Each structure stands twice: as C-alpha cells, then as structure tokens.
Amino acid sequence: MSVTVPRSDLADTVLGRLVTTFSAAADPPRAAHMRAYMKDVAPFLGLTSPIRRELAKTVLAGTPRPDEDCAAIALRCWALPEREYAYFAADYLRRHIRRCSSGFLPVVRHLVTTNPWWDTVDALAAHVVGGLVAADPRLRTAMDAWIEDDDLWVVRTALLHQLRRKESTDAERLFAYCLRQSGHPDFFIRKAVGWCLREYAKTDPDAVRAFVARERGRLAPLSAREATKNL
C-alpha cells in the first residue's frame, strides 16, 4: 500500500533543522561501526542515542505540538538514507502518539515495511502501534489480520504491540498470536514469541508458566526458553 506525504509547515521546519543539526554532528568512524553492527541495513551518521536525543531537543525547541503533522514528519524522515532520521521519527511518534488518530495505522504499516529491521520495527510496534490500539480497541481486528500477514515484520509488530500493556494486556489474543506463529521458520518471529511472553510473565507469571507447559510441544525451543527465562 502506497502512502502520500501530506504537506506540513511544521514538517518543513523540523526537517530543515533536523538535517542541518544531525549532519553537522556526524561521526564517520562511528557511523561505519554502527552500519556494520546493524548488518548494513542502512548508512548511519554515527550519532549515539544520548547525543541524538540531545540534538533532537535542539531541533524541536519552540515547535508546536503536531496536529496532522506526524505523518509528514515520519514519512519524510523515513525517506532519508541515514538511520538516525528514522530513530528521530520513531521517538517523535512515541512522544506524540496520542495526537494520532486510528487512521494513522496505514502510515505505520508503511514505516514497518520500509527498509525494516528490528531497530525500527520494535520501537514502532511497542510504542506506536501499541499506543494506537490501546486508544482504539477496534484496531484489534487489524492486529488479527497482521498476525496472519506474509511479511515477517508485520507479524512481529502484531506479536509485540502489547509489550508495554502490563495489566491491560489482552492475554487471550497474546496467547493466540503466539500459537498462530509458533511454527514460523524465522528467528525474528520465534524470538518475538518468547519476548512477548516473557514480558507478560512480569504481570502474570502463572498464566505464562501454564501456557508454556501446555503448549511446549507447539512452541519452538527458542520461544519456550525466552518465555520462561525469568520464571
């Protein structure tokens, strides 16, 4: 599904400041190391997370809260080659997710499936998609479709979108999703199954323990180990 970048004066301001500020702080030797560590998924500027977030404060100083600008900012950041711009966008969306309507979900799907790797997908899953679904439970049906998707990163997003929900977790859906993808051949899905179970175990360890005991024959060994790591 293609998405159109909306016009936004705020996005013009933010992107102009962002590119100027981030590029001026680039560290090429560190960028090469970061690119190698992230399996050459994208070029980097070489900004560590603390430096990037301090620079982001400068970029955003004095700017208003977004209204319909989140899509423009995120999509324009994602179109830039260096990975730190996507990190900036993910942080920005996390901060302002309550300003985004349910109609923002197709934009997030575009972000999830564009140059995907765990670094951007996991942030979007837990903090952006999770926030949208929490605000509008009708989006659970979209997650029911995502867990069946052919794209492994969309599936991973569905698995992880409740990662921060704690007592508000829809446990029935969580367990159903884990079973639906228990036989997935990809490491990133098997790991995500274990991760979301391990996280929910902090809230309801007995439920996770019982689930793993009951379904151990269907869960991948990696998923079962991850799920019970702290039990």
Side-chain angles (χ1 to χ4, degrees):
M1 178 180 177
S2 61
V3 297
T4 302
V5 181
R7 296 189 61 180
S8 164
D9 291 339
L10 178 58
D12 291 343
T13 298
V14 169
L15 268 291
R17 292 182 182 182
L18 180 64
V19 172
T20 298
T21 304
F22 274 27
S23 60
D27 184 336
R30 181 178 283 118
H33 172 75
M34 294 170 73
R35 184 170 186 165
Y37 175 74
M38 295 304 290
K39 307 298 185 184
D40 204 29
V41 67
F44 281 78
L45 293 168
L47 306 180
T48 64
S49 294
I51 289 173
R52 186 185 80 247
R53 288 180 173 134
E54 280 302 312
L55 293 175
K57 292 178 184 178
T58 301
V59 169
L60 296 172
T63 59
R65 292 192 300 172
D67 189 2
E68 300 297 326
D69 309 283
C70 285
I73 290 172
L75 291 168
R76 287 175 62 175
C77 284
W78 236 259
L80 295 170
E82 290 83 9
R83 201 65 164 180
E84 287 90 344
Y85 296 117
Y87 296 163
F88 171 88
D91 286 346
Y92 190 82
L93 292 177
R94 178 181 180 179
R95 179 181 178 184
H96 296 294
I97 190 58
R98 293 184 180 180
R99 310 282 294 178
C100 300
S101 69
S102 304
F104 189 65
L105 190 63
V107 175
V108 186
R109 183 189 170 96
H110 174 83
L111 303 179
V112 164
T113 57
T114 301
N115 204 17
W117 198 238
W118 61 264
D119 55 339
T120 54
V121 170
D122 293 358
L124 292 171
H127 302 297
V128 180
V129 175
L132 290 173
V133 176
D136 185 357
R138 291 174 299 179
L139 293 181
R140 293 172 181 171
T141 58
M143 295 300 99
D144 293 345
W146 284 27
I147 196 64
E148 304 280 351
D149 205 89
D150 292 334
D151 188 302
L152 75 91
W153 299 107
V154 174
V155 172
R156 184 173 168 100
T157 299
L159 285 165
L160 298 180
H161 85 277
Q162 295 197 82
L163 204 62
R164 307 301 178 201
R165 297 295 293 151
K166 299 182 180 179
E167 292 82 3
S168 298
T169 298
D170 182 340
E172 183 178 351
R173 258 192 176 82
L174 173 68
F175 293 146
Y177 285 10
C178 290
L179 286 179
R180 173 63 184 84
Q181 293 298 344
S182 60
H184 199 286
D186 193 274
F187 166 84
F188 284 106
I189 299 303
R190 299 196 303 271
K191 186 82 170 180
V193 168
W195 183 15
C196 62
L197 290 172
R198 185 178 77 243
E199 193 65 24
Y200 185 54
K202 298 176 183 177
T203 298
D204 193 341
D206 291 339
V208 173
R209 189 181 291 110
F211 173 77
V212 173
R214 183 174 65 250
E215 306 294 350
R216 188 174 290 274
R218 296 176 63 181
L219 294 171
L222 170 63
S223 301
R225 286 197 305 273
E226 286 292 319
T228 58
K229 185 177 289 185
N230 298 323
L231 290 177

